[in-house]
Amino acid sequence: MVNFVHPPAESLQLHHVLSALADPVRLNIVQVLHATQGGLNCTAATAPFGQVPKSTLSHHFRVLRESGLVQTTKRGVENINTLRWDDLERRFPGLLSQILQLAPR
Amino acid sequence: MVNFVHPPAESLQLHHVLSALADPVRLNIVQVLHATQGGLNCTAATAPFGQVPKSTLSHHFRVLRESGLVQTTKRGVENINTLRWDDLERRFPGLLSQILQLAPR
């Protein structure tokens, strides 16, 4: 059983969040998660990135998780990914919405 | 004579800017430049980072320049660094002020 590591909200670092969002594929994953209510399992979340190798996507999800952007929760046999919107908003007010607004679509 | 490369404002990329700002030393350089009117020569701009090797600082300035955050201009024997605030504001409205507001001081 995989144990996912999620940093507590109060320890999130601005440079980790910026670094996570500085990769176009990761920024795009965050856009997809933001546009989705209730979280996405890994397959659904990664469907738009079919051309990206699965191992690369796993790496991107790990970076997103470790920077505090994404929460991964085991639900049965699925891993459900959600944006940690409230935590990020509390720690870095306005940052994520600003970046999502400016991101290429 | 060194030729500094500055990307045109319209070709600045969000992920390059975020990547440049994702390093704490570079973010700090940007804070110092932001707090300074009229630009800083390299010595003055790097004075707060005395513990960082000069070659490392040169690398950071190159990343800042290539991402479009900083303009380096030769003035006599000095290289004067300024933030490309207007270009960044036009291309990514509100982004830099938001990040500077959230950055550790």
Side-chain angles (χ1 to χ4, degrees):
Chain A
M1 166 126 179
V2 179
N3 279 320
F4 296 114
V5 177
H6 299 99
E10 63 276 13
S11 75
L12 301 187
Q13 299 293 315
L14 180 63
H15 62 279
H16 291 160
V17 171
L18 295 179
S19 181
L21 294 172
D23 180 279
V25 172
R26 287 196 294 267
L27 181 53
N28 213 333
I29 291 174
V30 169
Q31 287 176 303
V32 170
L33 291 176
H34 179 57
T36 311
Q37 298 290 328
L40 282 177
N41 67 35
C42 278
T43 313
T46 58
F49 311 103
Q51 76 288 8
V52 181
K54 204 175 162 192
S55 60
T56 308
L57 281 174
S58 293
H59 162 75
H60 285 319
F61 270 96
R62 188 169 56 77
V63 173
L64 289 169
R65 207 159 38 231
E66 290 178 357
S67 69
L69 278 156
V70 162
Q71 172 102 22
T72 309
T73 311
K74 222 166 175 57
R75 209 177 292 164
V77 294
E78 286 186 327
N79 296 326
I80 305 293
N81 294 288
T82 46
L83 262 189
R84 293 177 62 182
W85 185 272
D86 291 347
D87 287 341
L88 289 155
E89 193 54 26
R90 206 163 33 241
R91 185 85 177 91
F92 307 115
L95 180 68
L96 194 52
S97 57
Q98 173 94 57
I99 290 174
L100 286 172
Q101 200 184 328
L102 296 169
R105 280 153 217 277
Chain B
M1 165 127 179
V2 179
N3 279 321
F4 296 114
V5 176
H6 299 99
E10 64 276 12
S11 74
L12 301 187
Q13 299 293 315
L14 180 62
H15 62 278
H16 292 159
V17 172
L18 295 179
S19 180
L21 294 172
D23 181 279
V25 172
R26 287 197 293 269
L27 182 54
N28 214 333
I29 291 174
V30 168
Q31 287 176 303
V32 171
L33 292 175
H34 179 56
T36 312
Q37 297 290 329
L40 283 176
N41 67 36
C42 278
T43 313
T46 59
F49 311 102
Q51 76 288 9
V52 181
K54 204 175 163 189
S55 59
T56 308
L57 280 175
S58 293
H59 162 74
H60 285 320
F61 270 97
R62 187 169 57 76
V63 173
L64 288 169
R65 207 158 40 231
E66 290 178 357
S67 69
L69 278 156
V70 162
Q71 171 102 22
T72 308
T73 312
K74 221 165 175 58
R75 209 177 292 165
V77 294
E78 286 185 328
N79 296 326
I80 305 293
N81 295 288
T82 47
L83 262 190
R84 293 178 61 182
W85 185 271
D86 292 347
D87 286 342
L88 288 155
E89 193 52 29
R90 206 163 33 241
R91 187 84 176 90
F92 306 115
L95 178 70
L96 193 52
S97 56
Q98 173 94 58
I99 290 175
L100 285 171
Q101 201 184 328
L102 296 170
R105 282 154 215 276

